[in-house]
Amino acid sequence: MDLRKYQRIALLTDGFSTPFLAKTAINLLRYRGDNVVALIDRDHTGSDAGTVLGIDSPVCDGIPVLGTIDHHDIDAVFVGIAPPGGKLPPRWDDLIDAAIDRGIDVVSGLHEFLCNRPEWVDAAERSGSRLIDVRKNDFRSVASCAAFDQNCLRIHAIGNDCSLGKMVTCLEIQKGLQRRGVDAGFAATGQTGIMIAGTGIPIDCVVADFVNGAAERLTLDHQNHDVLLIEGQGSLSHPMFSAVTLGLLHGCAPDGLVFCYQPGRDFVKGLDGVAIPPLRTLMDLSVAMANLRHPCRIIGIAANTSLLSDVEAESEMQRVYEEFGLPVCDVYRNGPEVLVDAVIRLKQEQQA
């Protein structure tokens, strides 16, 4: 189903309204803020969503933080957190009970599925509520090394670790292209991206043999655009997630890569002490692995400079530009325009 049909969403972050844990809620506010009517967190009742989540944006103006799911305008409750392990917090049971009893649909992207709780399934059948597990899928097709439409330029975000902003980079480039009048699409591969775009394939919950096939199918289904931005996951060097990263890279067969990284992050997320390899090593590896499937090159670098001051960020991006000779920016701090320019240049080469 298309999750864009929900226009009156309550974001559930109860007890977990921090920038690290509530990334899904934060990005839904940024990219679907017009569809959000409330944040649910009993620890912050009476405040507003922007203050609680640390978002300084007009899209958060007037979005209240509630302690109950009594808001009469809610048409769906979206789970707004992405905690390590992907478990549903036990303290949420009564809130989810209340949503289901009121016939409100509940949408979750966690690894622990709503539909595995018999009491919720039974209650939903009685009330008419729908339990939607974004990560649940039965994709069972291998890749076919499909021939993609050469009129659609495929751009894939890849990086040197997970949780760097690959999705945000794609969405910001898409918006930048659309502002220039370019028909640009977005193919979502993770829970938050799917909740924002409405559809997609949760690539980290696809059986290993079928990851390439799922990425290929997703790309085929979205190639009716002049440019397609394909969300990346994990990293080729991450000991936990490298298989998903490579499956995506070969499944979507990109024409161009945007390489994402975070200066100041030295160790892979989730494995303290496991060092992240040098940028050049991983960039060269990404290009080599991509070219096993389809001719490809890196066209730009997206730096997540959230750990740096303005002066430090500018110095770091200048250093990286001088080292690699590629356009580099922080899409939040600077806007995506230099990366948009790079995509347009590659598109022009494709058409020549």
Side-chain angles (χ1 to χ4, degrees), residues 48-322:
D48 65 87
T51 300
V52 170
L53 295 174
I55 305 173
D56 182 16
S57 172
V59 300
C60 296
D61 291 347
I63 297 179
V65 180
L66 308 178
T68 65
I69 304 183
D70 291 332
H71 197 291
H72 70 279
D73 261 350
I74 294 171
D75 63 9
V77 171
F78 278 36
V79 170
I81 65 171
K87 298 286 187 181
L88 285 160
R91 67 177 272 169
W92 286 10
D93 284 7
D94 62 325
L95 291 170
I96 295 176
D97 286 343
I100 295 171
D101 288 345
R102 287 168 173 76
I104 298 170
D105 293 356
V106 183
V107 179
S108 172
L110 301 185
H111 285 286
E112 182 181 358
F113 293 158
L114 300 165
C115 64
N116 287 345
R117 293 280 291 270
E119 68 274 24
W120 285 345
V121 173
D122 291 344
E125 288 178 355
R126 291 192 299 269
S127 70
S129 168
R130 297 190 64 178
L131 305 180
I132 300 169
D133 291 297
V134 171
R135 273 193 164 106
K136 187 176 177 60
N137 73 92
D138 57 0
F139 194 91
R140 293 294 186 272
S141 296
V142 296
S144 63
C145 206
F148 294 107
D149 185 346
Q150 293 307 300
N151 293 315
C152 175
L153 181 74
R154 300 181 302 283
I155 303 295
H156 183 42
I158 198 164
N160 70 343
D161 199 12
C162 54
S163 299
L164 290 168
K166 292 184 281 289
M167 179 198 75
V168 166
T169 296
C170 286
L171 289 170
E172 290 298 318
I173 294 174
Q174 180 196 24
K175 287 166 60 180
L177 288 166
Q178 290 173 340
R179 286 193 294 269
R180 306 265 195 104
V182 178
D183 173 22
F186 169 68
T189 64
Q191 64 164 19
T192 305
I194 293 170
M195 289 180 179
I196 291 168
T199 60
I201 293 180
I203 208 73
D204 65 354
C205 266
V206 175
V207 173
D209 272 359
F210 309 128
V211 168
N212 299 42
E216 183 180 83
R217 181 72 264 162
L218 180 68
T219 305
L220 289 168
D221 288 346
H222 287 77
Q223 65 178 350
N224 59 323
H225 298 280
D226 293 333
V227 177
L228 178 62
L229 286 304
I230 302 141
E231 180 185 7
Q233 299 292 333
S235 166
L236 287 174
S237 67
H238 199 300
M240 293 179 180
F241 308 125
S242 55
V244 170
T245 309
L246 182 58
L248 263 173
L249 187 62
H250 283 177
C252 72
D255 300 296
L257 298 172
V258 174
F259 195 88
C260 307
Y261 85 109
Q262 183 176 35
R265 186 189 297 195
D266 299 319
F267 302 102
V268 301
K269 184 176 180 181
L271 292 172
D272 292 342
V274 178
I276 297 174
L279 273 185
R280 186 170 294 279
T281 298
L282 283 177
M283 290 170 70
D284 289 347
L285 176 64
S286 299
V287 171
M289 297 304 291
N291 276 273
L292 290 174
R293 168 68 175 88
H294 179 76
C296 181
R297 70 176 188 262
I298 294 174
I299 62 169
I301 300 171
N304 175 345
T305 63
S306 58
L307 299 177
L308 306 181
S309 68
D310 287 346
V311 172
E312 290 169 335
E314 186 62 33
S315 175
E316 168 66 14
M317 288 186 285
Q318 182 63 31
R319 180 191 70 79
V320 171
Y321 171 73
E322 291 174 358

Side-chain angles (χ1 to χ4, degrees), residues 2-32:
D2 188 348
L3 299 179
R4 294 291 305 188
K5 79 169 193 173
Y6 296 112
Q7 302 291 303
R8 309 289 295 176
I9 297 168
L11 300 174
L12 179 55
T13 61
D14 184 63
F16 299 89
S17 299
T18 68
F20 176 70
L21 294 172
K23 291 181 298 181
T24 297
I26 289 169
N27 281 304
L28 280 163
L29 281 166
R30 283 175 173 152
Y31 295 106
R32 290 192 64 182

